[in-house]
Amino acid sequence: TCGAVALDKHGNLAAGTSTGGMTYKMKGRVGDSPIIGAGTYADNNGCAISATGHGEFFIRNVVAFQINALMKYKDLSLDEAARYMIFEVLKPIGGEGGVIALDTLGNISMPFNTAGMYRGTITSDKNAEVKIYGDE
Amino acid sequence: QPAWALAIHGGAGTITKESMTPELEQQYQEKLDEALQAGSEILKNGGTSLDAVCAAINVMEDSPLFNAGKGAVFTAEGINEMDASIMNGENLMAGAVAGVKRIKNPILAARAVMEKSPHVMLMGDGAEKFAQDQGIELVDSSYFFTENRWNSYLKAREKASKENFG
């Protein structure tokens, strides 16, 4: 799976996700990537999210939407909301994966509960940074 | 506060230093950096977040390193079935395609569903027909084949076969 979230100069957020699914998946199986609210979500009043991981868990827990909702309705910060879903909701039930999250202030959060996640960031005031492993 | 920002991912999983060669690690770093540059070039020039998201994802879809587009994994039947979605934070419009087999860049098809149809998700043959009508590139399914993914498929098939027979 791959994905991107962006904030432009006009203050607009967008999120996208694209995937080939799981190796040896059953024909017709669909994961979270094309499900709005599960693997992808964007709301200028909250955040933009793209997820990667075990899709069934992300669908059942509506992960991308929930991160946005925790920010909008419970006033959590972007990082608090994203980490809560990945570590407090998904991890205890065996839902492996991660998200990239971005808000309209340009805050970025990229929590994951697996050994690694291919990821990168760049902003108008920070150079490109690419990371792979969990301990980076 | 930055004027613009971009974050990308290329998948999560059992990715350890032990499972990676320095050469492969370098390839991933370079391709992720290329995706960041493609998206940031748009943002820095005043382009939209939607264009930046598509540009960054296109780079990863076109690379055999990532499980999307070229390099997508195989189903149990040995075919590639891809999905994609996109959402615009300004107006909550969204688009998605599921179970497509011939669209070179599924994220562009998802965007077309969002912007040029009254629907949110199209699947299978209908999604491919719609994409073609919108001028989005379709390719032969052999385009998505990579040896690495095929070998993973063969290993998974062997494992499943052993499990079936105890």
Side-chain angles (χ1 to χ4, degrees), chain A residues 1-3 5 7-9 12-13 15 17-21 24-25 27-28 33-34 40 44 50 105 116 118 120 122 124 133, chain B residues 1-11 13 25 44 46 49 61 67 74 76-77 81-87 89 96 121:
Chain A
T1 306
C2 62
V5 290
L7 168 69
D8 62 31
K9 286 181 180 175
N12 292 322
L13 291 169
T17 312
S18 183
T19 191
Y24 211 71
K25 70 177 180 180
K27 183 185 178 188
S33 295
T40 303
N44 280 5
S50 173
L105 299 176
Y118 300 108
I122 187 168
S124 54
Y133 309 109
Chain B
Q1 178 181 336
W4 55 264
L6 172 69
I8 61 170
H9 71 78
E25 187 177 302
K44 149 185 336 173
S49 51
E61 285 179 331
N67 177 22
F74 291 89
E77 297 196 341
E81 272 186 357
M82 294 159 288
D83 315 314
S85 69
I86 194 163
M87 187 160 180
M121 183 187 282

Side-chain angles (χ1 to χ4, degrees), chain A residues 7 78-79 101-109, chain B residues 2 5:
Chain A
L7 168 69
L78 179 81
D79 195 50
L102 171 65
D103 67 18
T104 49
L105 299 176
N107 295 308
I108 294 170
S109 178

